[in-house]
Amino acid sequence: MKKFNKTLIAISVALASTQTLAAGFQLNSQSATGIGRAFSGDAVIADNASVISRNPAAMALFDKDSLSVGLTYVDVSVDVKDVNFAGGAVDLGSIDDAGSTKAIPNIYYIHPIDDKFAVGFAAFSNFGTGTDSATLSKNVAAAPFDLLGKTEVTTINFNTSLSYRINDMFSIGAGIDAVYGEGRLTRDAGPTPLVDVDADGWAFGGILGATIELNQDNRFGLSYRFSPTVNVKGDVNTISTKDLSALGLGAQTTLATSFDSLDVPLADIFQVAGFHQLTSQFAVHYTAQFTKWGDFEQITAKDGVATILPGQAGAGSTVNAGDVALKKYQWKDSWLFSLGGTYTINEQFTVRAGYMHDMGVVDDISSISIPDSDRNWFTAGMSYHVNPQNSIDFGIAYVKGEEVHLIENSAIVGPVNAITESSAMYYSVQYSYQF
């Protein structure tokens, strides 16, 4: 094997946008109503309690307790085609569907304390992914094993928020996020497990928000979510080759390394939204969102201890591996823009639709497992109001990514060429109750 001490884990592959079909590994799945309108205006519409996920200040728009419970099912299709290396001499073939399905639940509750304060509680997910490209390396003696394998990463936000109404026009809000993250990653070279990661951990972030109500029919919302670096702990094991000649050992010494934890940085999210009720039945809404993926530079493994494998000089000895940048990303910041409309048919039925353009985050460093590109969302939804207190919401979205021709360097076989293309269907249902 060639030297691949820093590029081996490619834990980033774990954070692939193939599962989420959103920038980086960000999820857009917080509510059925949001999916139905492409999340346009979601930080200020406040038609149910799911607004907590976007803007805590919008809780000031509620005068009754409100509960929302939902489930989103994501079916991702990822084509990985014409994977080859050695100048095209070795062809690993294609995978028609390297993506996976995911069911993503959520729950929100808002309680107005008085005419000034409201408190809210929520559980939802902002980040997650899952891919499986292992079949490309089956029955092949030499392959980019460091780039191909199974990956699953999920984060869950447990949020507590408070809003305060300053006056009839302005409201502010703030919240604390307890973020739980877990990941599973394997990279195997035949029977040899190069990478085996099973880890989880907690971190704390927060969100600030504000709303501006010009009148009942025209309002704006903005928020900034501070996303933490999640330190996940568990079984983090790798096999790699490193030059230990400075220690009097081999220049190509194979090591089994165990790390105590991994640092996974998450991106801050800023958004501005508007809502305008143009007629008694029709409203338009829009959102511009900036995600600070430029801070996502690398995945760092912490406090490693390496053991020299048998059959080499110093076999069984341990070496302090310290902190290692397992994979460099150097992503770029991204924007998404969405526009939607809502039409109230009658007291029982409301329909909505939206369009969103979501920009990719991959810059100079591309990845087979991160076939990131600009994406277009086409969405529709409906609400059935059983009575003034109870409603059931439905949302559906088709997401189409662009075809990407890329080259990624494998530390085992050198440059690898591939063509990737992704699409997805979102199906979401939500129940809301106002007390």
Side-chain angles (χ1 to χ4, degrees), residues 393-405:
D393 307 300
F394 304 92
I396 186 171
Y398 171 66
V399 188
K400 181 63 175 176
E402 299 176 351
E403 185 175 84
V404 177
H405 294 250

Side-chain angles (χ1 to χ4, degrees), residues 36 134 166 219 250 287 296 351 375:
I166 299 172
R219 55 185 183 265
T287 289
F296 189 76
V351 293
R375 288 155 297 274

Side-chain angles (χ1 to χ4, degrees), residues 254-337:
T254 303
L255 304 168
T257 306
S258 296
F259 296 93
D260 283 348
S261 63
L262 299 172
D263 278 349
V264 182
L266 303 178
D268 289 0
I269 303 169
F270 170 74
Q271 64 179 277
V272 178
F275 171 84
H276 307 283
Q277 189 74 43
L278 301 182
T279 70
S280 61
Q281 290 181 289
F282 181 67
V284 297
H285 26 82
Y286 46 85
T287 289
Q289 177 176 294
F290 172 79
T291 307
K292 202 176 178 184
W293 281 117
D295 289 341
F296 189 76
E297 295 186 352
Q298 64 187 35
I299 298 290
T300 304
K302 309 285 288 186
D303 301 323
V305 176
T307 303
I308 300 175
L309 293 182
Q312 307 172 94
S317 300
T318 59
V319 179
N320 183 11
D323 297 347
V324 176
L326 296 174
K327 178 68 176 180
K328 292 187 180 295
Y329 290 94
Q330 298 177 358
W331 282 356
K332 61 184 178 181
D333 298 334
S334 70
W335 284 90
L336 67 77
F337 303 94

Side-chain angles (χ1 to χ4, degrees), residues 17-21 73-78 96-102 130-131 422-426:
S17 58
T18 53
Q19 170 64 43
T20 59
L21 266 287
Y73 178 80
V74 186
D75 185 8
V76 177
S77 176
V78 180
D96 291 334
D97 191 359
S100 62
T101 60
K102 185 180 287 289
T131 59
S422 304
S423 62
M425 291 297 302
Y426 281 62

